[in-house]
Amino acid sequence: MEQIKNERLLSAVKLVLKELRAKTGLTQEQVANNIKANKDLSIHIGRNETGNQNMTVSTLYELCEYYKVSISEFFKRVEEVDKGLKIKDINK
């Protein structure tokens, strides 16, 4: 069974990840090394920032935790980057 892959979403996610890293002034390698040192986890930042593959929600959580941004704020920014990704609330 083929994995679902939303290119538009991946593109917005990678842009937000790049923004967050740029705010730290760190390289991809530095972020990966910091996460590895603090959590003993290996995350390939470059793969996540290219948006060429789906990442796990666990990886996204770890990155949000590292950048000190909530998951909800992360996705709010994703929706700001690409307004077409905003899902309309049928309850409103």
Side-chain angles (χ1 to χ4, degrees), residues 40-72:
D40 197 28
L41 296 172
S42 291
I43 296 177
H44 195 293
I45 304 301
R47 284 189 197 138
N48 297 315
E49 287 187 5
T50 62
N52 294 330
Q53 66 180 10
N54 284 325
M55 75 173 75
T56 67
V57 292
S58 296
T59 297
L60 181 59
Y61 177 85
E62 293 299 330
L63 288 168
C64 285
E65 185 176 50
Y66 177 79
Y67 293 123
K68 296 180 179 19
V69 62
S70 70
I71 296 283
S72 59

Side-chain angles (χ1 to χ4, degrees), residues 6-63:
N6 183 324
E7 298 290 342
R8 192 170 177 178
L9 175 60
L10 291 171
S11 180
V13 165
K14 80 174 182 180
L15 288 174
V16 174
L17 287 173
K18 285 180 182 180
E19 281 180 2
L20 290 171
R21 185 175 55 78
K23 287 180 184 178
T24 68
L26 300 174
T27 66
Q28 291 176 353
E29 184 178 14
Q30 288 170 315
V31 171
N33 288 340
N34 289 344
I35 292 172
K36 185 171 178 74
N38 293 328
K39 294 276 200 153
D40 197 28
L41 296 172
S42 291
I43 296 177
H44 195 293
I45 304 301
R47 284 189 197 138
N48 297 315
E49 287 187 5
T50 62
N52 294 330
Q53 66 180 10
N54 284 325
M55 75 173 75
T56 67
V57 292
S58 296
T59 297
L60 181 59
Y61 177 85
E62 293 299 330
L63 288 168

